[in-house]
Amino acid sequence: MAIPRAARTQRRTRIQEEKEEIILEAALDVFSVSGFRGSTIDQIAEVAGMSKPNVLYYFRTKEAMHRALIDRVLFTWLEPLRAFDSNGDPESEIRSYIRRKLEMARDFPRESRLFANEMLQGAPHVEDELRGPLKALVDEKAEVIRSWARAGKITKCDPYHLIFSIWSTTQHYADFDVQVRAVLGQDHSGEGRFEDAARYLEQLFVDGLRIRHT
Amino acid sequence: MAIPRAARTQRRTRIQEEKEEIILEAALDVFSVSGFRGSTIDQIAEVAGMSKPNVLYYFRTKEAMHRALIDRVLFTWLEPLRAFDSNGDPESEIRSYIRRKLEMARDFPRESRLFANEMLQGAPHVEDELRGPLKALVDEKAEVIRSWARAGKITKCDPYHLIFSIWSTTQHYADFDVQVRAVLGQDHSGEGRFEDAARYLEQLFVDGLRIRHT
DNA sequence: TGTAATGTTTACCAATCGGTCAAATTATCT
DNA sequence: AGATAATTTGACCGATTGGTAAACATTACA
């Protein structure tokens, strides 16, 4: 008899690992565009190249798929912020944070859109993670930024809104990709737009913060 | 016999105006949260307080509702950019543009989310408007910014990415409202966060652009 | 190789989807 | 008031939704 995935507690089969990966990949394709409510298991099954019941053999519900995806994305998504080093030089830390976030927008746009979709819907599945681990991490980094300001290494500014502005400006190139391409036109819609964005954003933030050059 | 709305060419009844307004208001509630695919006519009908066939009496399809909503939002959404005055002082123009966009994020968050949802889905209903009127308007304002840079009134920077960064930072407070509230915590989640954001963003952009004070 | 566990599919279910229809109700105008 | 047009709704339609049951196929392992 077939035992659905969620009921298994023992180690996973080779096939399980492969198929679950294929399904999550397909689910990311679909969820990131249409959001949770707008996506269907049939769409995911088609993209994954298997039948709907087969998908449901590995993930018992649509919610289980979404949950697994969100959990994975949430972790890797905060990686750049965790890497933010309180002992580093403020200017280079902020520069590399911007660069890393921009690279993620370029290389993982679906993950960005999945997250954006979840936020737009009011974060029904992850509000706890926002109030808990995310807030804790941001609080910690905000304190680092504040200490830089106290030490005179950086212009005094609201560290929370600084972080928000880095998030929004970088993720914009993933979430609003269509708009960016449409406005830039065919000429500037190549991958070069990310380098232009990096140049512009580093200038905006570093000069904007009046970071003293060492 | 009842003549559905779209077939009418004569002037509209008082009831028509009222009900269409109620329906669009409800549709904005629903579409802005769940996106087009994730929203149902039943939801809209319930929010509007009328039966589904009655909603469909005024808008023949779900798409017609969405289209009417998008058209209206797209127009008012670009109002602040249109108001961007090429004859004005660069610093005060940019300051007031930021302020206006932030006010819209505060006062019309549903409109912002409706638009964001449409972008996330790849702008299936408005890509033409993006490539046409929107691009034309941005091109025009970008040229203004470039002329300010040539005249030495402003630091040289990519005007398109400057506009993108103003859009993203301001709309962030509408689209990612849940996240902003969660990270700021209860203490700073009041309406005061918009004033904090305005202060921070004006500092970021104006100083970042090294605008010479007159 | 045999067999038990795992994986896959066809057929199906009740609920919900977008949308229609005709009948009933209400507003408008003379 | 009465006639006519505009509005509203309950019943309904075929298609699609998330999910299940059970038969069938494949794999892993003794």
Side-chain angles (χ1 to χ4, degrees), chain A residues 33 37-38 43 115 119 121 135 155-156 161-162 165 168-169 172-173 178 182-183 200 203 207-208 210, chain B residues 33 37-38 43 115 119 121 135 155-156 161-162 165 168-169 172-173 178-179 182-183 200 203 207-208 210:
Chain A
V33 169
R37 288 221 46 186
Q43 288 176 338
F115 188 72
M119 292 303 105
Q121 284 158 34
K135 176 170 166 44
T155 298
K156 276 203 178 73
H161 292 280
L162 166 56
S165 65
S168 60
T169 49
H172 188 79
Y173 292 95
V178 222
V183 167
Y200 165 76
Q203 175 188 329
D207 289 350
R210 292 194 227 220
Chain B
V33 169
R37 287 220 46 188
Q43 288 176 336
F115 188 72
M119 294 301 106
Q121 284 158 33
K135 176 169 165 44
T155 298
K156 275 202 178 75
H161 292 279
L162 166 56
S165 65
S168 59
T169 49
H172 187 78
Y173 293 95
V178 221
Q179 193 189 34
V183 167
Y200 165 76
Q203 175 188 329
D207 290 349
R210 291 196 227 220

Side-chain angles (χ1 to χ4, degrees), chain B residues 115-126:
Chain B
F115 188 72
N117 255 308
E118 183 67 13
M119 294 301 106
L120 282 177
Q121 284 158 33
H125 305 99
V126 294

Side-chain angles (χ1 to χ4, degrees), chain A residues 27 30-41 43-44 62, chain B residues 37-38:
Chain A
V30 176
F31 281 135
S32 66
V33 169
S34 303
F36 181 75
R37 288 221 46 186
S39 303
T40 70
I41 303 179
Q43 288 176 338
I44 295 171
K62 193 170 113 173
Chain B
R37 287 220 46 188

